[in-house]
Amino acid sequence: MKIKRLERNAPCWCGSGKKYKSCHLAFDDKLRRYELMGHIVPGHELIKTEKDIEGIRKSAVINIAVLDEIGEKIHAGMSTQEIDDIVMTTTSKMGGIPADLGYEGYPKSVCTSVNDEVCHGIPSKDVILKDGDIVNVDCSTILNGYFSDSSRMFLIGDVSPEKKRLCEVTKECVEIGLSYVKPWTFLGDMGSAVHQHALKNGYSVVREIGGHGCGNAFHEEPFVSYVSKPGTEMLMVPGMVFTIEPMVNMGKDGIFTDADNGWTVRTADGKPSAQWEIEVLVTEEGAEILSY
């Protein structure tokens, strides 16, 4: 069994200092019931303590500030390397570390994905933003060992109605996903709602790449799919932290990774893709947005 009960009078595993019987015993019994029914449940390592949550919130303050700074300065004629410079400068000034830099060999401080780039676009002085471009800036921050992660779409100059609508619907997908984050329901409920909204608007959702747990590490369990079915995937419970970040394509859902740099993911049909990302905490009542 994944969820094991402690002795009733033992200190609770969450670090609260309370006895297990008056802290997480009932919580663990409920998890065990779902587990016995065959559902995927989170282990204790995925349940954030109050200390963890406070640390993630502080990290998110930097993450949000960085994206706000980019929003004020981004413009046509700017290189994506200049965006990377803003991320490094602002993050460092506020006492944080860009989580992307050096992660599994990634060479920059942020991901900048333009037009048909789905994700992991590498900033470069040679990539100049043009009037009509759409760009996703995916920023991740470490502060005192705690991780925050979010991204936004930026529309450069006079963007076509088709690209603008893609970005708007993708943001709606995230908002709908957020509305489905409720304790003791399933990630599949949320993922299915996201998928259905994209399909209803004539778009597709990337299958191979999704959201993830986050907070004590950059990428934690669970993998968060946005093409899932209701009643499936991991049970959402209070204390879980993960990202909602569907990648929505104007065309088909096929993708490929750039063979030259090994990182940048593009749409197979060359049509635009959009993504918004928020980091959320599951609460007793629903969800709290930590980073956006």
Side-chain angles (χ1 to χ4, degrees):
M1 301 294 292
K2 191 170 188 177
I3 303 301
K4 296 180 180 180
R5 285 180 51 161
L6 302 178
E7 195 277 322
R8 290 173 57 83
N9 290 312
C12 188
W13 53 262
C14 75
S16 66
K18 298 178 182 178
K19 291 182 178 180
Y20 182 50
K21 65 182 179 184
S22 59
C23 196
H24 273 90
L25 188 151
F27 176 91
D28 281 356
D29 282 348
K30 192 169 184 177
L31 278 181
R32 279 173 56 85
R33 289 196 293 274
Y34 277 96
E35 187 180 23
L36 288 169
M37 288 188 286
H39 294 297
I40 303 168
V41 301
H44 291 163
E45 74 281 359
L46 297 184
I47 310 301
K48 303 299 185 284
T49 66
E50 286 302 320
K51 179 183 176 184
D52 293 335
I53 293 166
E54 187 58 29
I56 299 166
R57 286 193 184 110
K58 290 177 179 177
S59 176
V61 167
I62 300 175
N63 210 67
I64 293 165
V66 171
L67 287 170
D68 286 347
E69 184 79 3
I70 291 165
E72 291 178 6
K73 294 182 176 178
I74 198 167
H75 61 272
M78 180 184 208
S79 73
T80 53
Q81 179 58 50
E82 290 177 78
I83 296 174
D84 191 84
D85 294 341
I86 292 170
V87 172
M88 174 58 82
T89 300
T90 307
T91 303
S92 300
K93 189 183 299 181
M94 295 182 72
I97 301 168
D100 286 334
L101 187 60
Y103 178 75
E104 295 187 352
Y106 186 75
K108 296 291 182 175
S109 300
V110 70
C111 296
T112 52
S113 304
V114 184
N115 295 329
D116 67 324
E117 294 177 342
V118 175
C119 61
H120 305 160
I122 300 176
S124 169
K125 60 182 177 57
D126 298 323
V127 178
I128 308 299
L129 297 177
K130 303 183 299 296
D131 187 67
D133 283 344
I134 58 173
V135 55
N136 176 265
V137 179
D138 190 344
C139 181
S140 308
T141 304
I142 311 170
L143 179 68
N144 299 325
Y146 291 104
F147 291 75
S148 52
D149 189 8
S150 54
S151 79
R152 301 179 196 173
M153 292 300 299
F154 295 99
L155 283 64
I156 309 301
D158 186 17
V159 173
S160 70
E162 293 80 11
K163 283 184 177 179
K164 189 177 294 184
R165 180 171 175 270
L166 173 67
C167 295
E168 290 170 350
V169 170
T170 304
K171 191 172 187 180
E172 290 170 4
C173 284
V174 173
E175 292 165 349
I176 288 169
L178 177 65
S179 74
Y180 275 79
V181 178
K182 300 173 183 177
W184 311 106
T185 64
F186 299 95
L187 281 170
D189 302 341
M190 184 270 290
S192 175
V194 169
H195 194 201
Q196 292 308 311
H197 188 68
L199 291 177
K200 183 175 72 176
N201 284 277
Y203 302 132
S204 64
V205 180
V206 172
R207 296 173 176 273
E208 298 91 334
I209 309 170
H212 53 89
C214 189
N216 293 338
F218 194 176
H219 292 94
E220 303 173 352
E221 290 186 9
F223 172 76
V224 182
S225 171
Y226 306 104
V227 293
S228 45
K229 296 180 180 179
T232 67
E233 307 295 330
M234 187 175 283
L235 184 71
M236 293 183 283
V237 302
M240 284 178 63
V241 174
F242 56 86
T243 64
I244 302 177
E245 50 174 318
M247 299 168 197
V248 180
N249 293 350
M250 187 179 288
K252 296 182 179 180
D253 62 9
I255 58 174
F256 71 96
T257 302
D258 189 306
D260 292 331
N261 66 37
W263 280 101
T264 305
V265 178
R266 292 186 170 87
T267 58
D269 58 14
K271 293 186 178 180
S273 183
Q275 177 195 23
W276 296 81
E277 177 184 10
I278 59 175
E279 184 176 11
V280 300
L281 164 69
V282 183
T283 67
E284 296 288 348
E285 296 77 30
E288 174 189 339
I289 299 175
L290 299 174
S291 189
Y292 58 88

